[in-house]
């Protein structure tokens, strides 16, 4: 069993504590109770862009006077910002390593796993370079995420497990930037999350990778210690981990722990 798989299983097992933690945190204040005038700042992995944007709109519809503002990008960069005390209410990362950066600085409160994701190969429509496996990447111009971000760490683990040493043409800052290289025609293939491939629709062809499911990325979320409104941050976390959040995340291609 790979180290990545062991970490994911440990995190997924930990999520049995989520309901109890949510109840304790929610006790800090009543949910709802009329119109409010608040802004919720969510720092989230780029691969969450579509799902969280939709959830933000739904959250606003259910919370009068609340505006949800997002900062999407590299999980590692966002975690480092949170660790440095940057403004924000909630942090959502695409793996445990990124969340640990913020956790080591005491910047997050009780992180929980709320979704998982896996990698696929994407190519331009029709797969003109005939990339059907990790081994085929050696004969194509392909890209992946940089080593220091979650999708890069996952790609490295997947390639190492398969014994594939093909070198990418470039290393990108996050999953969406990696996907854009294929969509724009600058690359013949890329390793991205299954959810990113789904979001691109007909703009790409997705190729499943045998064994990738065993290297699933666990997505973690936590209220930030510096949250301006701790109660609202908890309400968002409860919303995402609840039935409506689960429905949106599943529709976007994520798996639920």
């Amino acid at each position: 069993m790979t180290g990545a798989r062991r970490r994911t299983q440990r995190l997924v097992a930990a999520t049995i504590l989520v309901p109890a933690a949510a109840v304790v945190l929610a006790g800090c204040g009543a949910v709802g109770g009329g119109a409010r005038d608040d802004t919720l700042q969510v720092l989230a992995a780029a691969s969450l862009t579509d799902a969280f944007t939709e959830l933000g709109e739904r959250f606003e519809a259910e919370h009068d006077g609340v505006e949800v503002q997002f900062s999407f990008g590299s999980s590692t960069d966002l975690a480092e910002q949170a660790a440095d005390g940057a403004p924000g209410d909630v942090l959502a990362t695409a793996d445990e390593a990124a969340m640990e950066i913020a956790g080591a600085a005491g910047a997050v409160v009780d992180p929980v796993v709320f979704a998982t994701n896996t990698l696929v190969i994407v190519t331009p429509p029709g797969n003109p370079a005939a990339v059907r496996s990790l081994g085929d990447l050696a004969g194509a111009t392909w890209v992946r995420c940089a080593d220091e971000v979650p999708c890069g760490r996952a790609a490295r683990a997947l390639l190492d497990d398969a014994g594939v040493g093909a070198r990418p043409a470039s290393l990108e800052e996050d999953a969406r930037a990696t996907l854009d290289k294929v969509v724009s025609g600058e690359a013949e293939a890329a390793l991205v999350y299954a959810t990113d491939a789904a979001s691109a629709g007909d703009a790409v062809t997705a190729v499943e990778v045998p064994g990738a499911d065993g290297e699933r990325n666990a997505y973690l979320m936590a209220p930030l210690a510096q949250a301006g409104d701790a109660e609202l941050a908890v309400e968002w976390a409860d919303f995402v981990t609840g039935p409506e959040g689960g429905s949106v995340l599943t529709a976007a291609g994520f798996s639920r722990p």
Side-chain angles (χ1 to χ4, degrees), residues 11-13 15 113-116 219 255-257:
L11 288 164
V12 170
T15 60
V113 177
F114 67 96
T116 65
Y219 281 61
S255 294
R256 297 285 278 173

Side-chain angles (χ1 to χ4, degrees), residues 81-186:
Q81 292 170 23
D84 289 339
D89 298 297
V90 178
L91 174 66
T93 66
D95 73 354
E96 178 187 14
M99 183 61 74
E100 285 178 344
I101 294 172
V108 292
V109 181
D110 297 331
V112 296
V113 177
F114 67 96
T116 65
N117 209 345
T118 191
L119 292 177
V120 298
I121 297 170
V122 292
T123 73
N127 195 357
V131 178
R132 298 185 177 87
S133 69
L134 292 175
D136 291 337
L137 292 173
T141 300
W142 69 286
V143 298
R144 66 170 176 84
C145 297
D147 292 347
E148 63 270 18
V149 299
C151 54
R153 287 189 281 267
R156 281 289 302 272
L158 190 62
L159 292 163
D160 288 347
D161 285 350
V164 174
R167 293 183 177 275
S170 66
L171 300 173
E172 304 302 320
E173 63 181 357
D174 58 41
R176 285 303 172 95
T178 305
L179 177 70
D180 288 344
K181 287 289 186 177
V182 173
V183 173
S184 66
E186 297 177 66

Side-chain angles (χ1 to χ4, degrees), residues 20-104:
V23 170
V24 172
L25 287 170
C28 295
V31 177
R36 300 162 66 167
D37 184 14
D38 291 304
T39 298
L40 179 72
Q41 294 180 290
V42 179
L43 314 180
S47 50
L48 290 165
T49 299
D50 296 334
F52 266 29
T53 297
E54 180 175 348
L55 285 173
E57 293 172 354
R58 296 190 184 197
F59 189 81
E60 289 175 347
E62 296 182 13
H63 295 74
D64 289 344
V66 171
E67 179 186 1
V68 183
Q69 296 180 349
F70 293 104
S71 178
F72 294 111
S74 158
S75 294
T76 301
D77 288 346
L78 295 173
E80 289 174 346
Q81 292 170 23
D84 289 339
D89 298 297
V90 178
L91 174 66
T93 66
D95 73 354
E96 178 187 14
M99 183 61 74
E100 285 178 344
I101 294 172

